[in-house]
Amino acid sequence: MISIKDVGKVFPSKHGQLKAVDDVNLEIKEGEIFGVIGYSGAGKSTLIRMLNGLELPTDGSITIAGRVISKIKGSELRKARQEISMIFQHFNLLWSRTVSENIAFPLEIAGVKGPQRKKRVAELVKLVGLEGRENAYPSQLSGGQKQRVGIARALANNPKVLLCDEATSALDPQTTDSILELLVDINKRLGLTIVLITHEMHVIRKICHRVAVMESGKIVELGTVLDVFKHPQQPITKRFVQQVTEPEETKETIEHLLELYPRGKVVQLSFVGESTEQPLITNIIRNFDIIINILQGKISHTQSGSYGTLFIHMDGEANEIQKAVDYIHSQQVGVEVISNG
């Protein structure tokens, strides 16, 4: 669906040339939810703007649904943009128009006739869950409702690709989750290809099938979300994964627990996919002469499986503890010793 080949983007600056995107190569499949994550300045916003022709690459080519977006201009580019919609962090709604009028706007531009336009708007209002709010103005809506209007408007012309530029960054966590669930639902119902950029690993974890990690204009890591959670390779990727698996309060809790349990070992277990379902702790207690205290745990669900972390304290003879650690390894569960008492 989307082919990005050897793409680079250079901007002039006071100190010479700034390479915002540096030799990026990506293939995004039809019907996929693909995430691009990076901190500010990584180049992700520039990359997504090149996907709909808002920016042109300095080098390389971008092809979407058979069209070379990086080469076309004028009416051909306008036609292509009807198939490549975008939603934004700050909604970009027309404040003097109602919900229905905002959604209808791209249909008006496309020359869709009144009755057909009205029918399509009604379909979209229902799809995004805004029944009863059709005549409200943006100032009367919550942040989540505004983004639902933005999504409905983006879907008006039946696009093949939906680009999401930090679409949930301005929303609270609960509203963010509801918008992400809506995007997953739209992806499944319509088979829509979704490309989103974010700096939040929670967003990637919740809805994406694959993810590319960007740093200094380059793709430094690429894979399925579950694989990236399971085996993050780059330091930046490990920091992003820790946003979800080891939030700041976890570190404080562990430091406190280490004071409470000076003997034995504090161990972090990592479960992926089916290993999250097995009765591991029960089996350890039955088979080894050690005492186990469960300290803290969390299971995160991705589109391709579950990923869990569990902190436990193991107390007993050193050789029995080592046997238990070896057993955990044999069960395809990751083990990291946090402390040795």
Side-chain angles (χ1 to χ4, degrees):
M1 171 58 78
I2 301 174
S3 179
I4 302 170
K5 293 188 181 296
D6 305 320
V7 165
K9 179 65 178 181
V10 175
F11 292 104
S13 71
K14 294 178 184 177
H15 309 290
Q17 292 190 320
L18 173 66
K19 192 163 253 189
V21 176
D22 189 359
D23 194 29
V24 166
N25 288 275
L26 284 175
E27 297 289 330
I28 299 173
K29 303 167 191 172
E30 184 174 358
E32 184 172 28
I33 304 179
F34 189 92
V36 180
I37 191 168
Y39 292 113
S40 296
K44 59 190 188 297
S45 291
T46 302
L47 179 63
I48 203 169
R49 286 169 64 84
M50 286 193 284
L51 295 183
N52 63 1
L54 290 174
E55 296 282 357
L56 292 176
T58 308
D59 305 294
S61 65
I62 296 172
T63 304
I64 300 181
R67 285 192 178 96
V68 184
I69 300 297
S70 51
K71 301 293 183 187
I72 59 177
K73 296 178 181 178
S75 61
E76 193 177 355
L77 179 58
R78 287 192 293 274
K79 187 176 180 181
R81 280 179 177 158
Q82 290 184 2
E83 297 182 346
I84 309 167
S85 284
M86 194 163 184
I87 57 175
F88 304 88
Q89 178 179 355
H90 297 296
F91 321 125
N92 287 17
L93 301 181
L94 299 167
W95 293 88
S96 61
R97 285 178 169 240
T98 64
V99 167
S100 290
E101 290 167 347
N102 264 283
I103 296 169
F105 186 60
L107 297 168
E108 293 171 21
I109 294 173
V112 177
K113 301 298 181 185
Q116 189 180 347
R117 192 165 69 228
K118 189 175 180 180
K119 181 184 176 185
R120 179 62 177 153
V121 168
E123 291 171 354
L124 291 164
V125 164
K126 185 176 181 181
L127 178 67
V128 301
L130 285 175
E131 298 101 320
R133 305 296 286 160
E134 296 91 333
N135 298 316
Y137 288 89
S139 61
Q140 299 170 309
L141 302 177
S142 67
Q145 289 171 332
K146 289 171 190 171
Q147 194 56 282
R148 287 172 185 269
V149 177
I151 292 169
R153 182 182 59 184
L155 298 176
N157 284 313
N158 294 301
K160 294 179 180 177
V161 176
L162 178 64
L163 307 177
C164 305
D165 185 1
E166 297 277 11
T168 59
S169 294
L171 305 175
D172 63 75
Q174 186 174 350
T175 306
T176 291
D177 284 347
S178 71
I179 294 298
L180 295 178
E181 287 163 8
L182 175 61
L183 290 174
V184 170
D185 183 55
I186 288 167
N187 167 259
K188 289 177 178 175
R189 283 202 208 184
L190 308 180
L192 190 65
T193 304
I194 299 176
V195 182
L196 64 86
I197 64 168
T198 184
H199 62 275
E200 299 172 299
M201 198 64 182
H202 166 74
V203 172
I204 299 293
R205 188 270 300 172
K206 193 164 182 71
I207 74 168
C208 294
H209 300 113
R210 287 193 302 146
V211 60
V213 183
M214 284 194 79
E215 185 176 30
S216 301
K218 291 181 176 290
I219 301 290
V220 296
E221 197 154 346
L222 174 67
T224 67
V225 173
L226 193 58
D227 284 344
V228 167
F229 264 76
K230 186 178 178 181
H231 298 300
Q233 300 298 311
Q234 300 297 321
I236 184 174
T237 312
K238 291 175 182 177
R239 289 201 298 274
F240 278 127
V241 170
Q242 284 170 352
Q243 286 182 3
V244 177
T245 60
E246 298 176 44
E248 200 61 40
E249 59 269 22
T250 298
K251 296 176 185 176
E252 295 173 5
T253 302
I254 292 168
E255 288 172 5
H256 176 63
L257 291 168
L258 293 180
E259 296 174 5
L260 293 177
Y261 298 101
R263 294 180 50 201
K265 294 180 189 286
V266 174
V267 178
Q268 178 181 350
L269 309 181
S270 300
F271 304 81
V272 178
E274 292 180 2
S275 67
T276 59
E277 309 296 330
Q278 61 177 299
L280 181 72
I281 302 301
T282 301
N283 291 340
I284 295 171
I285 292 170
R286 284 176 177 169
N287 293 305
F288 303 96
D289 187 19
I290 60 175
I291 297 170
I292 288 184
N293 294 298
I294 296 174
L295 308 179
Q296 185 166 311
K298 181 177 183 180
I299 293 179
S300 299
H301 299 283
T302 75
Q303 289 295 308
S304 49
S306 300
Y307 177 91
T309 55
L310 182 67
F311 292 89
I312 62 172
H313 173 250
M314 307 170 76
D315 196 7
E317 296 295 328
N319 64 328
E320 279 294 294
I321 292 176
Q322 188 56 52
K323 287 179 186 176
V325 169
D326 292 341
Y327 169 75
I328 295 168
H329 274 297
S330 74
Q331 300 303 300
Q332 309 301 312
V333 173
V335 187
E336 181 183 350
V337 177
I338 306 297
S339 78
N340 282 297

